[in-house]
Amino acid sequence: MTMNISVLGKFSIEYNGKTVSDDINRSKKMWNLLAFIVMNHNSAITQSRFIDSLWSDDNNNPVNALKTQLFRTREMLKPLGLEGEGCILSSRGAYSWNPEFEIVLDCELFEGLIQDAENASLSREEKISRYMEALKLYQGDFIPKLAGEVWTIPISARYHSMYLEAVKSLCELLEENNDFDAIIKVIHKAIEIDNLDEKLHCLLILAYIRCDRYKDALDHYDNATNMLYRCLGVNPSDELRTLYSQIMDTQKAMETDLAIIQEQLMENSSDEGAFFCEYGYFVKTYQLTKRRLERLGLSTYLCLLTLQADSAKALDFAKLDDYMSKVLGILKISLRTGDVVSKYSGAQYILMLSCVNFENADIVMNRILARYKKRHRTDRVTLSYKIKEI
């Protein structure tokens, strides 16, 4: 008699065409108890181990509570049509999985497939096949509804890490096959599971570039860098910035009509105020401006404008995009058309103020701060700036 048990993404037990899963409205304690038995199905579990692992110290009668939960758990599994003592046996103060019910456990299959894929004697295609099978099994982290239980934390972390490493290893193999469409599909699913792994974002952007999907690459770069800042407070890494530069360097298509090129170069006539551009363009503009200044002897100042929480409170990342949009609005009406602005990080703008001296640049920046404070008095944030001559 074989039972198919899933613990990756959800907890479910399928037997004889019938299924019981943690979708049903039953006590979390019962699912916790059952999962603990399933994950230790090769050994007997003593009462003391159950109590130490699953019950807090404030339970007055943990042995009685354990017996009550075991009874209710057995009752919960009755819809599976189990015969005899069911799948949980008790003997001399210990409990174990009934060996009459053979288990096919998705996490064990997942781990076995990854171990197979790492076999150096397999061909590239065989390795890809094993990894693909393994990733299909990983529908999410280990029993999410039990994520707060202490005993599940190391198990969940182990399988999560194994999954991410498998994704990255698979992408290396697919890259050798130039199968970038497959990489995009694999990474999309992986990002749904872990959207804070920067390497995944780098792999997806690179795959978009290889498929000539530059707009998708740029869009994902913006989304990824904003999310990483909001959630982790980190700025784009060197690897992400290098990919951004690569997009800029390769996205231009061949064009022979100079009139068409001129049209493409024309700025939208409705745009007013400072020129806002992506950071990659800002870098190129800065480099060009620096070259011109060395020849013409004109002065231009680089300014870094930073949005911070006022007092000792943490910055409300949920409202960060709204704050930054307000700052950009102030910049556009406060600066001249020849000034250049770019977003440097999730909470910073970088500016180039042309043909000004230090005193005038300082006046401009103070004017920006005053306008923001006047227009958005209720925002619990402050603006600060630094100025340096180019």
Side-chain angles (χ1 to χ4, degrees):
M1 295 180 284
T2 302
M3 279 189 172
N4 294 306
I5 301 182
S6 298
V7 294
L8 299 176
K10 65 180 297 184
F11 188 20
S12 67
I13 301 177
E14 188 271 327
Y15 174 72
N16 236 0
K18 299 176 182 177
T19 302
V20 171
S21 76
D22 60 4
D23 289 334
I24 63 175
N25 188 20
R26 291 298 184 96
S27 167
K28 181 181 177 181
K29 290 181 179 179
M30 286 190 283
W31 291 113
N32 195 25
L33 180 68
L34 181 57
F36 193 75
I37 295 172
V38 166
M39 295 305 294
N40 293 278
H41 62 89
N42 290 320
S43 61
I45 309 167
T46 62
Q47 284 186 347
S48 60
R49 187 182 172 200
F50 264 123
I51 292 166
D52 289 343
S53 301
L54 306 183
W55 266 263
S56 59
D57 295 335
D58 58 0
N59 195 303
N60 294 327
N61 194 340
V63 173
N64 188 56
L66 172 60
K67 290 179 179 179
T68 300
Q69 290 302 327
L70 281 165
F71 172 79
R72 292 176 177 172
T73 301
R74 288 188 176 107
E75 290 293 307
M76 180 177 69
L77 296 175
K78 278 188 174 181
L80 295 175
L82 304 177
E83 300 175 357
E85 295 184 82
C87 57
I88 303 174
L89 302 181
S90 57
S91 175
R92 298 178 182 178
Y95 302 89
S96 61
W97 185 264
N98 190 341
E100 292 183 8
F101 297 96
E102 182 185 353
I103 288 180
V104 177
L105 193 55
D106 63 346
C107 63
E108 293 177 347
L109 293 175
F110 169 75
E111 187 169 359
L113 285 164
I114 289 177
Q115 290 173 350
D116 287 347
E118 293 170 349
N119 187 337
S121 66
L122 293 181
S123 68
R124 185 193 305 161
E125 296 307 323
E126 288 173 324
K127 290 180 180 181
I128 288 174
S129 176
R130 300 294 195 284
Y131 278 128
M132 286 291 198
E133 287 182 62
L135 298 188
K136 283 180 182 178
L137 289 171
Y138 200 93
Q139 295 301 311
D141 288 334
F142 180 79
I143 315 182
K145 289 190 176 181
L146 300 181
E149 300 297 323
V150 174
W151 73 273
T152 70
I153 293 172
I155 297 175
S156 181
R158 178 171 175 268
Y159 285 125
H160 185 90
S161 177
M162 197 180 296
Y163 171 75
L164 291 180
E165 289 304 313
V167 167
K168 294 165 189 176
S169 296
L170 174 59
C171 288
E172 287 181 11
L173 296 169
L174 292 171
E175 185 174 4
E176 291 173 10
N177 283 355
N178 292 319
D179 193 351
F180 297 103
D181 287 330
I183 291 176
I184 291 170
K185 291 178 182 178
V186 169
I187 296 295
H188 268 301
K189 181 186 174 184
I191 288 175
E192 288 177 6
I193 291 171
D194 188 341
N195 62 4
L196 298 180
D197 188 300
E198 186 177 296
K199 183 62 178 178
L200 295 179
H201 295 293
C202 290
L203 288 170
L204 181 56
I205 292 169
L206 183 60
Y208 278 141
I209 293 172
R210 295 291 184 267
C211 293
D212 295 332
R213 293 171 59 176
Y214 300 111
K215 184 179 185 305
D216 290 330
L218 279 172
D219 289 345
H220 192 78
Y221 173 86
D222 288 338
N223 293 335
T225 52
N226 286 335
M227 179 175 57
L228 289 169
Y229 186 85
R230 285 197 304 270
C231 298
L232 302 178
V234 297
N235 293 327
S237 65
D238 290 341
E239 186 176 4
L240 274 173
R241 291 196 186 278
T242 299
L243 286 170
Y244 185 89
S245 297
Q246 190 174 342
I247 297 168
M248 290 183 53
D249 290 341
T250 58
Q251 69 174 331
K252 302 175 183 65
M254 291 291 289
E255 178 59 69
T256 58
D257 190 330
L258 192 58
I260 293 176
I261 293 175
Q262 190 174 22
E263 273 184 35
Q264 294 171 347
L265 292 172
M266 286 295 294
E267 183 181 1
N268 189 330
S269 58
S270 63
D271 290 343
E272 296 180 355
F275 177 72
F276 178 78
C277 62
E278 298 293 342
Y279 183 71
Y281 290 99
F282 186 93
V283 171
K284 299 294 186 184
T285 304
Y286 173 88
Q287 293 168 350
L288 178 60
T289 301
K290 192 170 182 355
R291 289 186 181 188
R292 287 176 173 170
L293 292 176
E294 290 172 355
R295 183 167 59 88
L296 300 176
L298 300 175
S299 62
T300 294
Y301 282 82
L302 189 68
C303 307
L304 184 66
L305 186 64
T306 302
L307 185 70
Q308 298 169 304
D310 59 1
S311 68
K313 296 180 180 178
L315 188 61
D316 187 348
F317 288 114
K319 296 180 180 178
L320 184 56
D321 287 344
D322 181 50
Y323 294 147
M324 289 294 281
S325 294
K326 292 175 181 177
V327 174
L328 183 58
I330 297 295
L331 291 175
K332 286 187 173 181
I333 63 171
S334 301
L335 301 176
R336 299 164 299 174
T337 55
D339 297 328
V340 185
V341 179
S342 178
K343 193 173 184 181
Y344 182 70
S345 76
Q348 292 176 301
Y349 285 106
I350 191 161
L351 299 69
M352 269 196 297
L353 306 181
S354 59
C355 300
V356 294
N357 55 32
F358 181 87
E359 290 74 18
N360 287 337
D362 194 54
I363 291 171
V364 170
M365 297 309 294
N366 275 300
R367 183 167 65 236
I368 290 169
L369 269 57
R371 281 182 173 171
Y372 187 92
K373 187 174 182 180
K374 181 178 179 181
R375 292 193 176 202
H376 308 291
R377 295 179 183 276
T378 59
D379 288 356
R380 302 293 184 183
V381 295
T382 57
L383 291 174
S384 62
Y385 65 87
K386 294 180 178 180
I387 301 175
K388 183 176 177 62
E389 187 174 9
I390 296 177

